[in-house]
Amino acid sequence: MAPNSIHWFRKGLRLHDNPALREAARGACTVRCVYFLDPWFAGSSNLGVNRWRFLLQCLEDLDANLQKLNSRLFVIRGQPANVFPRLFKEWKISRLTFEYDSEPFGKERDAAIKKLATEAGVEVIVKISHTLYDLDRIIELNGGQPPLTYKRFQTLISRMDPPDPPVEPLSEAFMGGCVTPVAEDHAEKYGVPSLEELGFDTEGLPSAVWPGGETEALTRIERHLERKAWVANFERPRMNANSLLASPTGLSPYLRFGCLSCRLFYFKLTDLYRKVKKNSWPPLSLYGQLLWREFFYTAATTNPRFDRMEGNPICVRIPWDRNPEALAKWAEAKTGFPWIDAIMTQLRQEGWIHHLARHAVACFLTRGDLWINWEEGMKVFEELLLDADWSVNAGSWMWLSCSSFFQQFFHCYCPVGFGRRTDPNGDFIRRYLPVLRGFPAKYIYDPWNAPDSVQAAAKCIVGIHYPRPMVNHAEASRLNIERMKQIYQQLSRYRGLGLLASVPSNHHGNGNGGLMAYSPGEQPAAAAVSAAQAPGAAGGSVTGGKGSGSILLNFDSEDQPGLSGGQQHGYHGTADPGQATASQRLYQACSSHEFAVPQHPGRLSHGGPSGKRERELERETMGDGDTHTSSRKVQRHSSEVSGK
Amino acid sequence: MAAATTVNYYTNYSGSRPCRMKRGRLSIKPDSEVLPICDGAVKRRRSAAVGFLCSQSQQHDSVEDWGNLPHHVVLHIFQYLSLVDRARASSVCRPWNDVFHIPDLWRRFEFELNQPATSYLKSTHPDLIQQIIKRHAQHLQYVSFKVDSCTESAEAACDILSQLVNCTIKTLGLISTARPSFMNVSQSHFVSALTVVFVNSKSLSSIKIDDTPVDDPSLKVLVANNSDTLKLLKMSSCPHVSPAGILCVADQCHGLRELALNYHLLSDELLLALSSEKHVHLEHLRIDVVSENPGQTQFHTIKKSSWDAVVHHSPKVNIVMYFFLYEEEFDPFFCEQTPVTHLYFGRAVSKEMLGRIGLNCPRLVELVVCANGLEPLDEELIRIAERCKNLTAIGLGECEVTCSGFIEFVKMCGSRLTQLSIMEEVLVPDNSYSLEQIHNEVSKYLGRMWFPDMMPTW
């Protein structure tokens, strides 16, 4: 008997290149496409109205496109785990299909549903189509660990077969005899809800700059490619004032919700390149945007704590400031830096900002100026940014705050100069901060420096109509770069004066992509040694050498007393003791603030808890004589104590 | 009971319960149930030392008397344990508890002072602080205070400092982990606390007091009591110190080898004092040049003869300068030969200035430029490659260099460039090279694999 199928939409809100959806229809008697929405959750979730609107538009478009195939979308109010058993019975379901979700919580949820379905005698078919590659394969190829640098990631995928081509869109012909039973009361029961129904106040809500849906996505990709063909230049476009604005060829929100298949995008890019460049094979950089997304998905898929510092094995622990007032100023565009405030206003109004604008505000919030935890910024982006995805959002924030991935941290975006170089005229500022409209270009990025007469003429007095700058950028960046340097020096065991050499990565030139000392099997000897060594005997040479950065991966090797010589470090409320130990160790290792000078190997140098290399120095200098003295001291002291 | 009290305040924030063991003599049999230490949460945190001992006793299959382990052995093991683990181990038996209090284990201490409202970090338990002041103050030699952005934390640090009366502290660090809070403490409170240490510990060798309200009179006290021992003084952004105040330190502390300060404290007299015959060779001079608003600060010039004197006296000295200036403020710098070794430009720096660096900084080892205008820096870089023969590290952020210019630069420097960090956007493709080709070319000249730094396009 032909099966009755359900296709469960989560991401992947499209009919094109949707292999799981095709599996649902293949040879089936009936197919129903469902989307779960919990209205109660909607009101209480921290997603902003722009994100909800985008989602609802995607669902409406999906419903409209399904109607063209004589089908409908069923928006189910409730939670999948509660509702599926009823649906299975009511609709006599024997097949459930959905797109593979690589994110840890998605995997967990899907495993539960899979179990539940199997127990109900329902066959489950899962297909990968949200990412270009099978991420587990990338990890396998890297020896079981996700690659931690983008370069390494590129190396790995260049060794893999190209991604599968997109599958044909679901069509009437493919549906064949497969039908969707639709009841009279479908709209009431399963219709796409409105924003009002979800509890949003839509009065005065401006129309969407980024309309959601597959149809829009497919129009955009054509425009996107036309423009690329027109300029016939496949380099990364250089930033200018125009790139700051929402573009009708922008695709990132559509990739996020799966209105656009990344594989379709990939293959269309390839075709175009080969057409324009006369059949030469495209370089990896052509797919930059797609590969970055893929990189963060890969890094996150096996790490449930990817979105936090605490207990996250790949995240450097940085003693961020806890400062809700400063955070609020940043989030509400009241920092007093027009460049930062304009970007945050655009983000809140439209749901999208240029990637360099993201870099600017993220740097400002974290390592650049305010020294606030990147998790806070990530949460604000999650609320406001249309293309914020759990993996990509967290990964980017770790990247931009220099909390992971071994990138250089010297480059700090100036909240005045960066904007001025990008848009010297200041039109972007005037567009999003009308209060500053009257300022001439000369002062629009630092209005507090404008003479009183200029402020008066602009009808904007800094401190009254627009806030004063909330932070002294020069001082803050001086302090912060110093802190980052010390943190990184602890990680890399580097004691020299150089800033660049502080980052625990090195261009080893061993042919595996330069930076990748961290992949099992490809570790240089020193790294392997330091992981397995006896107490205190760390790998790496003593002078000027940087040990490998392998400390970031050694989080699971527990019996390494060498590192725990510190004191009572630790953050509040660690969930997993195993990981807490690891991250505590990481933190200990990075918390010491040393005057970065090649110290003569004193027994106990000043500063915080010592790293492995210091301890080794200690041991070396504690010759035999020394040990004897100390043991004599010990005995003397103990007799004193017992005499009491 | 000392042991019981110790355990209490170490363990109550580690989250696991203290392991209670019979006091006094303790016999371990290989398969005995005597090691309740090996259960549950404690097991995770179990020190390797204990694990090591377990396996030893298993191997020998004999009865060991733990209480009679020689003190120096226990001490040695304790040195590898965290304070929490030491505290826990000290509750095992009397002799171990004795070792816990051995001065050697209390030479170094880091006080952490944070408030839940302003920090994610925990604080050193007040009882522990009290115990240290009472029992171990005289043992402390390497002391640091880490405070968060809250004024109360900095005040608490000052309160502790003023109780460290019977100490012989060698190194003292006052560290702000977030916004500097010592600056918010009343100056008199801070200064009186600091001078307690200066007066009582007469053998201070390293002092790190960046971003604090330290002033000239307190430096005088420092000099009066520690002039023979002081080797390192780090005091960036201490606005209450004057050039005369730091000059007094340089004049009297002839062992001073490392000094970090802001540019406005740097004077010809200071450099000459550091180069006097009586003075040891200077190893490291770190200078921060900071200005918030353009034109607000007038920067003086240091005479070439003063720089020459420094290098003549200390040929190996590292001179590290961090600049946080506006483009138009660079005029006073590098007009004449300057022996700087490490340069960091945290804000925009003009093309012209980079040109002067090529001419006048022959000792340059590292150059990091966060941002520059939109004109290519080809000529400037090539000049730097030509003239700065010691250059081994370069980092470029928001700058522009043509691919050909960059290749030329790398070719001239060759494999001595051990650190080459160039943002991808810096490189402007031209007729000769595309971005794809450049990494091969550069790798060839460096003799190792090289790639530009990339930032996520997200």
Side-chain angles (χ1 to χ4, degrees):
Chain A
M1 203 185 96
N4 295 314
S5 307
I6 289 180
H7 176 72
W8 178 18
F9 276 112
R10 298 92 60 91
K11 288 175 186 173
L13 302 177
R14 61 173 184 264
L15 301 189
H16 73 271
D17 187 30
N18 196 333
L21 176 62
R22 279 171 73 88
E23 287 310 311
R26 189 188 299 277
C29 173
T30 64
V31 64
R32 291 177 179 87
C33 294
V34 304
Y35 187 91
F36 285 92
L37 214 159
D38 199 323
W40 181 83
F41 176 73
S44 67
S45 82
N46 58 350
L47 302 189
V49 64
N50 277 326
R51 286 198 65 173
W52 277 105
R53 175 164 61 183
F54 192 93
L55 172 67
L56 297 183
Q57 287 171 342
C58 290
L59 297 179
E60 276 159 15
D61 186 60
L62 204 53
D63 189 35
N65 288 336
L66 282 167
Q67 285 189 47
K68 289 177 197 157
L69 301 174
N70 298 315
S71 181
R72 288 300 295 264
L73 177 70
F74 294 71
V75 177
I76 316 265
R77 276 74 170 163
Q79 294 289 339
N82 302 334
V83 185
F84 263 131
R86 179 169 62 77
L87 296 183
F88 291 158
K89 264 191 216 144
E90 200 177 308
W91 295 340
K92 299 190 173 54
I93 297 303
S94 53
R95 185 190 289 167
L96 171 66
T97 68
F98 51 82
E99 178 180 68
Y100 178 71
D101 185 343
S102 69
E103 297 185 335
F105 296 107
K107 288 200 283 191
E108 204 174 296
R109 174 202 58 208
D110 291 352
I113 298 295
K114 213 166 169 175
K115 184 160 174 278
L116 186 152
T118 314
E119 281 165 8
V122 176
E123 176 199 13
V124 179
I125 301 176
V126 185
K127 294 281 177 187
I128 294 174
S129 52
H130 192 65
T131 52
L132 293 168
Y133 297 90
D134 177 349
L135 306 180
D136 293 336
R137 278 276 300 127
I138 300 177
I139 291 174
E140 196 187 303
L141 202 62
N142 197 42
Q145 298 275 5
L148 281 182
T149 70
Y150 184 61
K151 209 72 231 170
R152 175 69 186 160
F153 172 79
Q154 286 185 315
T155 309
L156 291 169
I157 57 168
S158 66
R159 284 192 213 149
M160 293 170 70
D161 293 332
D164 290 332
V167 301
E168 286 298 308
L170 189 67
S171 61
E172 235 170 322
F174 187 85
M175 295 271 286
C178 173
V179 296
T180 303
V182 178
E184 291 279 309
D185 58 353
H186 182 91
E188 287 153 48
K189 245 175 128 178
Y190 299 120
V192 178
S194 66
L195 278 173
E196 289 82 359
E197 273 173 76
L198 296 180
F200 286 101
D201 182 10
T202 55
E203 219 184 277
L205 187 69
S207 67
V209 177
W210 298 83
E214 180 183 12
T215 310
E216 173 73 18
L218 293 174
T219 317
R220 278 171 176 259
I221 189 172
E222 289 313 320
R223 254 188 259 143
H224 184 98
L225 295 165
E226 271 167 33
R227 201 168 78 164
K228 269 216 156 71
W230 169 252
V231 288
N233 174 8
F234 295 91
E235 308 281 0
R236 190 195 277 191
R238 295 197 89 79
M239 171 112 169
N240 59 36
N242 254 337
S243 26
L244 291 170
L245 303 179
S247 150
T249 61
L251 299 173
S252 61
Y254 304 91
L255 288 164
R256 153 67 179 83
F257 285 88
C259 309
L260 175 64
S261 151
C262 58
R263 299 191 296 198
L264 182 73
F265 186 26
Y266 184 97
F267 279 92
K268 287 204 175 235
L269 273 176
T270 311
D271 287 348
L272 179 67
Y273 188 90
R274 289 175 57 78
K275 218 187 280 168
V276 174
K277 298 270 174 170
K278 310 209 170 54
N279 279 335
S280 61
W281 280 105
L284 271 185
S285 61
L286 180 65
Y287 313 106
Q289 196 187 355
L290 286 175
L291 295 185
W292 275 105
R293 171 179 178 272
E294 202 85 356
F295 170 65
F296 288 128
Y297 277 128
T298 313
T301 182
T302 54
N303 182 356
R305 301 185 70 84
F306 192 69
D307 63 340
R308 55 200 75 184
M309 173 168 79
E310 193 61 52
N312 179 352
I314 68 159
C315 183
V316 177
R317 303 185 68 191
I318 294 173
W320 303 114
D321 194 13
R322 204 191 271 267
N323 189 343
E325 296 84 36
L327 173 65
K329 282 184 186 167
W330 175 82
E332 290 159 19
K334 290 180 182 146
T335 65
F337 289 93
W339 170 237
I340 302 297
D341 291 342
I343 295 170
M344 294 305 288
T345 305
Q346 183 189 28
L347 173 63
R348 194 168 288 275
Q349 285 175 4
E350 301 178 6
W352 178 90
I353 50 179
H354 187 269
H355 65 258
L356 289 177
R358 298 173 194 206
H359 298 187
V361 294
C363 182
F364 183 83
L365 181 74
T366 59
R367 65 188 176 90
D369 292 273
L370 301 185
W371 200 252
I372 288 176
N373 194 338
W374 58 269
E375 291 172 58
E376 302 297 337
M378 177 191 72
K379 288 177 201 155
V380 172
F381 271 29
E382 186 176 273
E383 177 195 345
L384 301 177
L385 190 65
L386 291 174
D387 59 43
D389 215 350
W390 188 79
S391 310
V392 184
N393 192 21
S396 305
W397 272 95
M398 269 191 274
W399 186 290
L400 298 174
S401 62
C402 289
S403 294
S404 192
F405 308 117
F406 309 101
Q407 84 278 26
Q408 280 292 345
F409 59 85
F410 73 82
H411 178 223
C412 174
Y413 294 95
C414 173
V416 173
F418 182 34
R420 189 175 274 155
R421 267 187 298 279
T422 309
D423 175 21
N425 223 0
D427 295 335
F428 177 73
I429 307 290
R430 291 192 192 90
R431 182 185 179 115
Y432 291 101
L433 301 177
V435 64
L436 297 177
R437 233 169 233 168
F439 275 99
K442 183 168 193 266
Y443 293 112
I444 197 156
Y445 286 97
D446 54 347
W448 63 91
N449 283 328
D452 292 347
S453 59
V454 174
Q455 297 189 27
K459 297 197 181 63
C460 174
I461 308 299
V462 175
I464 298 173
H465 306 107
Y466 182 73
R468 292 183 186 289
M470 67 182 291
V471 64
N472 178 334
H473 172 69
E475 264 304 320
S477 59
R478 179 195 67 79
L479 265 165
N480 293 344
I481 194 86
E482 196 58 27
R483 287 191 194 117
M484 288 305 291
K485 184 173 122 194
Q486 277 157 3
I487 288 163
Y488 271 79
Q489 282 186 330
Q490 288 296 319
L491 288 172
S492 61
R493 307 274 180 272
Y494 170 75
R495 286 287 173 277
L497 293 171
L499 190 64
L500 299 176
S502 308
V503 175
S505 71
N506 211 343
H507 306 281
H508 283 299
N510 49 6
N512 59 14
L515 306 168
M516 311 299 56
Y518 317 103
S519 315
E522 286 183 303
Q523 283 179 351
V529 167
S530 69
Q533 266 299 349
S541 63
V542 173
T543 43
K546 15 198 317 184
S548 79
S550 62
I551 180 172
L552 277 175
L553 284 184
N554 285 344
F555 63 95
D556 51 357
S557 59
E558 286 215 352
D559 28 15
Q560 247 190 299
L563 274 175
S564 52
Q567 292 143 5
Q568 66 297 352
H569 287 288
Y571 282 64
H572 299 287
T574 48
D576 176 345
Q579 292 205 318
T581 323
S583 35
Q584 260 164 5
R585 193 179 299 137
L586 232 178
Y587 175 66
Q588 282 171 6
C590 71
S591 64
S592 165
H593 292 245
E594 290 246 343
F595 195 10
V597 170
Q599 293 272 351
H600 63 111
R603 269 191 60 190
L604 294 158
S605 56
H606 75 290
S610 59
K612 275 190 288 188
R613 223 186 86 206
E614 280 172 281
R615 296 208 139 252
E616 186 176 25
L617 288 175
E618 270 168 43
R619 289 164 59 80
E620 279 169 3
T621 50
M622 264 171 78
D624 275 345
D626 227 7
T627 319
H628 284 168
T629 354
S630 64
S631 71
R632 263 203 307 280
K633 264 189 243 154
V634 168
Q635 276 154 13
R636 199 178 60 233
H637 181 81
S638 64
S639 60
E640 277 165 24
V641 171
S642 55
K644 276 176 196 167
Chain B
M1 279 282 201
T5 52
T6 11
V7 166
N8 261 334
Y9 54 74
Y10 297 102
T11 47
N12 61 18
Y13 41 57
S14 74
S16 49
R17 68 207 152 78
C19 36
R20 303 253 168 240
M21 292 185 71
K22 220 165 46 173
R23 289 284 161 75
R25 289 208 156 184
L26 197 59
S27 301
I28 307 284
K29 298 180 195 99
D31 53 343
S32 78
E33 63 300 329
V34 185
L35 276 180
I37 214 171
C38 300
D39 69 4
V42 180
K43 188 176 177 185
R44 279 197 168 279
R45 314 250 332 162
R46 185 186 66 179
S47 63
V50 174
F52 168 76
L53 291 171
C54 282
S55 63
Q56 284 281 303
S57 62
Q58 270 155 14
Q59 273 165 24
H60 295 298
D61 199 28
S62 63
V63 179
E64 301 275 343
D65 200 336
W66 287 81
N68 283 351
L69 266 184
H71 260 82
H72 72 272
V73 174
V74 181
L75 174 66
H76 194 80
I77 294 166
F78 271 29
Q79 282 175 336
Y80 289 98
L81 301 184
S82 69
L83 185 60
V84 178
D85 286 338
R86 290 208 304 265
R88 212 175 270 133
S90 77
S91 67
V92 167
C93 58
R94 187 81 216 173
W96 286 19
N97 188 249
D98 293 341
V99 178
F100 181 81
H101 291 287
I102 283 178
D104 283 30
L105 292 170
W106 298 96
R107 298 269 184 258
R108 170 204 302 233
F109 198 82
E110 183 178 82
F111 294 92
E112 289 182 87
L113 302 160
N114 303 299
Q115 313 299 321
T118 42
S119 176
Y120 301 86
L121 300 166
K122 290 190 170 176
S123 290
T124 309
H125 196 286
D127 293 349
L128 175 55
I129 295 175
Q130 278 318 307
Q131 195 191 7
I132 287 174
I133 291 170
K134 269 193 213 129
R135 289 193 72 167
H136 298 297
Q138 74 272 27
H139 308 143
L140 292 174
Q141 294 184 349
Y142 312 93
V143 184
S144 57
F145 292 83
K146 278 190 177 170
V147 301
D148 66 1
S149 58
C150 183
T151 310
E152 278 172 52
S153 307
E155 277 167 353
C158 293
D159 290 341
I160 298 172
L161 272 179
S162 42
Q163 292 177 68
L164 299 181
V165 190
N166 299 313
C167 308
T168 46
I169 294 177
K170 291 184 178 161
T171 76
L172 174 68
L174 303 184
I175 296 149
S176 303
T177 57
R179 279 168 295 146
S181 51
F182 282 107
M183 287 308 294
N184 302 334
V185 176
S186 85
Q187 203 192 343
S188 58
H189 186 194
F190 179 82
V191 162
S192 67
L194 191 64
T195 44
V196 165
V197 178
F198 288 173
V199 170
N200 288 291
S201 308
K202 295 201 189 299
S203 54
L204 277 163
S205 76
S206 297
I207 304 168
K208 185 180 185 301
I209 41 174
D210 300 307
D211 304 289
T212 61
V214 63
D215 58 5
D216 289 358
S218 37
L219 287 182
K220 278 214 173 87
V221 177
L222 169 71
V223 171
N225 293 281
N226 301 275
S227 61
D228 293 342
T229 49
L230 191 70
K231 290 176 182 160
L232 179 153
L233 178 60
K234 191 169 194 282
M235 37 168 279
S236 297
S237 287
C238 293
H240 301 298
V241 174
S242 76
I246 188 65
L247 184 59
C248 154
V249 177
D251 271 336
Q252 318 261 331
C253 302
H254 296 139
L256 190 67
R257 298 193 297 224
E258 303 183 36
L259 178 63
L261 75 181
N262 283 48
Y263 188 74
H264 70 88
L265 296 184
L266 191 74
S267 61
D268 293 302
E269 293 78 13
L270 179 70
L271 292 180
L272 294 176
L274 292 169
S275 316
S276 81
E277 263 175 51
K278 283 174 286 180
H279 209 98
V280 297
H281 295 317
L282 200 58
E283 287 173 8
H284 177 199
L285 182 60
R286 156 78 186 252
I287 303 150
D288 285 342
V289 195
V290 187
S291 116
E292 184 49 17
N293 293 312
Q296 214 172 49
T297 326
Q298 287 302 317
F299 292 98
H300 58 285
T301 308
I302 297 291
K303 288 190 194 122
K304 180 170 181 295
S305 56
S306 314
W307 284 125
D308 288 347
V310 172
V311 183
H312 182 74
H313 180 70
S314 315
K316 289 186 182 157
V317 64
N318 283 299
I319 299 173
V320 183
M321 294 182 85
Y322 277 44
F323 284 90
F324 300 88
L325 297 185
Y326 282 89
E327 278 195 36
E328 57 271 30
E329 295 175 309
F330 283 105
D331 289 347
F333 301 98
F334 307 128
C335 293
E336 291 183 285
Q337 215 169 72
T338 313
V340 64
T341 54
H342 296 71
L343 268 175
Y344 174 81
F345 293 103
R347 210 182 235 169
V349 54
S350 64
K351 195 172 148 75
E352 191 198 343
M353 169 79 164
L354 290 170
R356 289 209 298 272
I357 288 167
L359 286 178
N360 293 327
C361 304
R363 297 178 81 235
L364 194 64
V365 172
E366 179 177 78
L367 173 66
V368 178
V369 180
C370 282
N372 174 259
L374 297 172
E375 292 167 90
L377 295 175
D378 298 26
E379 280 170 49
E380 288 75 13
L381 280 183
I382 288 167
R383 186 187 287 165
I384 286 169
E386 220 167 57
R387 310 278 286 260
C388 307
K389 296 291 184 200
N390 298 317
L391 189 79
T392 60
I394 187 160
L396 299 176
E398 296 155 56
C399 308
E400 289 198 356
V401 189
T402 68
C403 285
S404 313
F406 181 64
I407 299 274
E408 183 61 24
F409 168 77
V410 175
K411 195 170 149 187
M412 290 171 74
C413 296
S415 58
R416 72 178 152 102
L417 280 183
T418 52
Q419 298 290 330
L420 180 61
S421 177
I422 310 293
M423 305 281 286
E424 197 183 26
E425 289 83 355
V426 168
L427 301 169
V428 184
D430 54 21
N431 294 332
S432 318
Y433 297 99
S434 74
L435 278 179
E436 295 302 320
Q437 293 160 313
I438 203 162
H439 100 86
N440 282 327
E441 279 296 301
V442 174
S443 302
K444 193 174 83 192
Y445 292 122
L446 293 180
R448 62 172 193 275
M449 208 57 134
W450 180 86
F451 292 95
D453 290 354
M454 285 188 274
M455 292 294 275
T457 45
W458 174 83

